[in-house]
Amino acid sequence: MAKEVKTEENGQVQEAISASGQWIIRNQNTIMWCLVAVLAVIVAYMMFNNYYMKPKSAEAQNEIAKAVVYFAQDNYETALNGDDADCIGFEEIASKYSITKPGKLAALYAGICYYNTGDYEQAVKYLKKFKADDLNVAPAAAMKLGDAYAQMDETEKAAAEFMDAAKSGNEVIAPIALKKAGIAYMALDKNKNAKKAFEEIKDKYPMSAEAQDIDKLIATVE
């Protein structure tokens, strides 16, 4: 009985193999062109990355270094717009190299420059362009975007950005962002949300400066 079952199974396997082989033979041209297409995509990506993205990224990084000199001197207008020499400024870098990581970083710098000069609408425009997964820079950018919204009295958006910054779990940025979010929620009369933000500081970041007077803030939204 066992031999009969085994023979039957072997026959089914052989039939399956035979059917598969016949299907491959019938569709060999299609399979070949699919493989060629996949290979072409891989080669195209490698060429784009090696011969376009890497040189562009290097160019953008070089341009950023020039603008950062002015940024460090609090000369935000020149950092943004460039000088009459060889610095093109963060705005042009962000536009010209927008698909590169340095180009996106230039947008962040531009947003901070605009924020520091009091042009909050432009600050929002550029800060929204910056996207990154970095656990330090990304939450700092989100918090700065929240600050810009707060300056424009768009408190709901500010609170959302502060909470987004807090999601990073960054030991320095998160408690600051949570406190800002709580205060924003208080301004919106959303005391439950404010209490939740303040309690998160107390529970997760008890050693932070923001936690030192957090009980007083929690008491105000009870």
Side-chain angles (χ1 to χ4, degrees), residues 148-175:
Y149 278 130
Q151 292 288 350
M152 296 167 64
D153 293 324
E154 295 190 36
T155 313
E156 192 81 50
K157 290 182 179 179
E161 291 299 331
F162 292 143
M163 290 304 296
D164 189 48
K167 289 177 184 176
S168 66
N170 183 292
E171 293 287 334
V172 176
I173 296 171

Side-chain angles (χ1 to χ4, degrees), residues 39-52 54:
L39 183 60
V41 170
I42 293 171
V43 171
Y45 172 78
M46 291 175 66
M47 291 182 68
F48 176 77
N49 188 55
N50 290 328
Y51 296 104
Y52 182 83
K54 286 184 178 179

Side-chain angles (χ1 to χ4, degrees), residues 3 36 50 55 65-66 71 85 99-100 104 106 138 153:
K3 288 184 178 180
V36 169
N50 290 328
K66 300 172 188 175
F71 181 85
I99 65 172
T100 68
K104 291 178 174 61
D153 293 324

Side-chain angles (χ1 to χ4, degrees), residues 7-29:
T7 301
E8 184 178 346
E9 288 178 352
N10 290 339
Q12 291 174 346
V13 170
Q14 289 174 359
E15 287 179 10
I17 292 172
S18 177
S20 298
Q22 291 173 12
W23 183 88
I24 291 172
I25 292 170
R26 287 196 306 271
N27 296 278
Q28 59 184 333
N29 288 337

Side-chain angles (χ1 to χ4, degrees), residues 213-221:
D213 63 347
I214 205 65
D215 286 329
K216 293 179 182 179
L217 286 172
I218 292 172
T220 64
V221 291

